Amino acid sequence: MKTDGRTAPDHAAPITVRALAVEGAFEFTPRVHHDERGIFTSPLQGEEFVRAVGHSMPVVQTNHNRSARGVLRGVHFTTTPPGQAKYVHCARGRAMDFVVDLRLGSPTFGVWDTVEMDTESFHSVYLPVGVGHAFLALEDDTVMSYLVSSPYRPGLEQSLDPFDPALALPWPEGLALTLSERDAHAVGLAEARELGMLPRYEDCLAVTGSYA
């Protein structure tokens, strides 16, 4: 039934939540409203986020990037403290998004999970402090949008080799990949651990505790 040219709202859950394999990381899938004008959706819904995660996330900066098909960004993480939590969704195109647990002492250390993002499902991912992030653009002009809990500070931004066999991330075959110089020459998980680059789980929890 339509009234005033608009589709009557349904009563499904406004957003569904799935815990990812990485402890503390979640996938959120919002309800998408369709009518003759197009679509409307809300990738982040504060009350539902807090209900699922158990705390809020301060947003001090938004990040936006556009990538050609085959661009791979990551695996990136921020030195902790201060660390950085992220809430990510795809605003245009399609991407494989990865979360990688780099927190020493975490019950899921070394574990990863992946979510395919697009502008049909509008899957979004919350990455807690200390968790590594990477994505691969599957279409030209793929736009990724981030909400982050701390400002960008170049000296604190770290990169890990996305092809490290210790991580064994399942990059698709037959797709020419484009990486930054920094990512192409990043160290592996074992070397990052030896160099003291990886965050400690307890430090990440302490930063997250300050969000409450």
Side-chain angles (χ1 to χ4, degrees), residues 47 54 113 122 154 172 209:
E47 291 183 358
D113 208 339
F122 286 95

Side-chain angles (χ1 to χ4, degrees), residues 56-161:
S56 61
M57 183 187 105
V59 176
V60 303
Q61 184 170 305
T62 61
N63 297 334
H64 174 100
N65 60 48
R66 183 174 65 185
S67 302
R69 183 173 185 266
V71 167
L72 193 168
R73 300 178 189 255
V75 176
H76 298 155
F77 62 102
T78 301
T79 299
T80 306
Q84 185 178 84
K86 298 178 181 178
Y87 194 88
V88 183
H89 81 277
C90 179
R92 180 176 178 177
R94 190 164 59 95
M96 290 179 65
D97 198 77
F98 288 85
V99 296
V100 186
D101 197 343
L102 306 177
R103 303 166 295 181
L104 294 171
S106 166
T108 55
F109 175 75
V111 171
W112 57 265
D113 208 339
T114 184
V115 174
E116 184 165 327
M117 296 185 173
D118 55 40
T119 54
E120 295 180 5
S121 66
F122 286 95
H123 295 313
S124 301
V125 169
Y126 168 67
L127 298 93
V129 172
V131 171
H133 180 241
F135 78 85
L136 172 64
L138 300 176
E139 296 180 1
D140 285 335
D141 294 324
T142 289
V143 174
M144 300 293 280
S145 178
Y146 305 65
L147 305 177
V148 297
S149 65
S150 62
Y152 175 71
R153 296 188 178 98
L156 299 179
E157 299 308 307
Q158 308 288 355
S159 184
L160 203 67
D161 179 7

